Amino acid sequence: MKASRQSVKKSAPAPTKGHSNTHPLRIIGGRWRGRKLNFPAVDGLRPTGDRIRETLFNWLAPRLPDARCLDLFAGSGALGLEALSRGASLASLLEQHPGAAQQLREHLHTLACPEGQVIHANSLDWLDSAPPTPFDIVFIDPPFRQNLWQESIDRLNQRGWLAPDAAIYIESEPETALTLPPHWQLHRNKTSGQVRYRLYFVNH
């Protein structure tokens, strides 16, 4: 599940009297460019910031058309919805929080987007199952304080979730140390404030 900040991962504040219990999300490119949606003010839920998203999707631009995408900790849907807006053929959005998952379903209905599917599940448990079809692009951006990166990487690599030339995006704190499979080749690596974001390509 994901959370709210521009470029720094912080938990969204609890709603207070007189304040909205939702936050805005803007899609920044593709067919829904400029479209504004809301996501619930859930603790730990925050979208990847606009500047980081713009950079990421510039990196992914050649791979997005007709790609099958997995947003492993969807939260606000910032990454999965952006991928669909920019030409992905399918995006599976995993979200454990029931309210956030329902909001994602409503967004897909509002956008008339049958290519998106919301899966209300624990992401690590879901990765223990057998994939029907491997994914071309996977986004790994969990709540920072839950430290779910390594288990996600290990399951993706060991359970056959990745297409032979898949791209894997990882967003974490700058100091987060990860052990990557030897055939994951680092393509891009940047830091913005308290966020490090990396893109890997599978290279068999």
Side-chain angles (χ1 to χ4, degrees), residues 72-138:
L72 197 52
F73 302 91
S76 68
L79 298 177
L81 293 175
E82 192 77 40
L84 288 167
S85 182
R86 294 174 183 247
S89 65
L90 176 143
S92 296
L93 285 70
L94 266 75
E95 179 49 52
Q96 185 171 0
H97 189 278
Q102 181 57 33
Q103 187 70 73
L104 289 171
R105 292 189 185 98
E106 292 174 10
H107 289 337
L108 291 172
H109 178 75
T110 298
L111 296 168
C113 181
E115 299 88 0
Q117 59 175 340
V118 177
I119 301 169
H120 178 211
N122 176 285
S123 297
L124 296 182
D125 291 344
W126 189 79
L127 288 176
D128 280 332
S129 61
T133 306
F135 288 93
D136 304 304
I137 298 172
V138 177

Side-chain angles (χ1 to χ4, degrees), residues 115-161:
E115 299 88 0
Q117 59 175 340
V118 177
I119 301 169
H120 178 211
N122 176 285
S123 297
L124 296 182
D125 291 344
W126 189 79
L127 288 176
D128 280 332
S129 61
T133 306
F135 288 93
D136 304 304
I137 298 172
V138 177
F139 304 106
I140 306 175
D141 184 14
F144 280 9
R145 60 190 174 189
Q146 294 186 26
N147 197 26
L148 300 172
W149 297 281
Q150 193 63 56
E151 291 180 89
S152 301
I153 290 166
D154 294 343
R155 283 168 168 78
L156 285 168
N157 185 54
Q158 296 165 6
R159 305 285 199 272
W161 287 100

Side-chain angles (χ1 to χ4, degrees), residues 19-40:
H19 290 75
S20 171
N21 61 353
T22 62
H23 296 295
L25 168 70
R26 183 174 66 91
I27 297 176
I28 56 178
R31 57 178 164 162
W32 303 318
R33 181 177 181 177
R35 188 71 177 264
K36 292 183 179 179
L37 304 168
N38 290 321
F39 63 93

Side-chain angles (χ1 to χ4, degrees), residues 168-182:
I168 305 102
Y169 171 74
I170 301 174
E171 190 171 324
S172 69
E173 294 170 307
E175 65 274 14
T176 301
L178 301 173
T179 301
L180 285 305

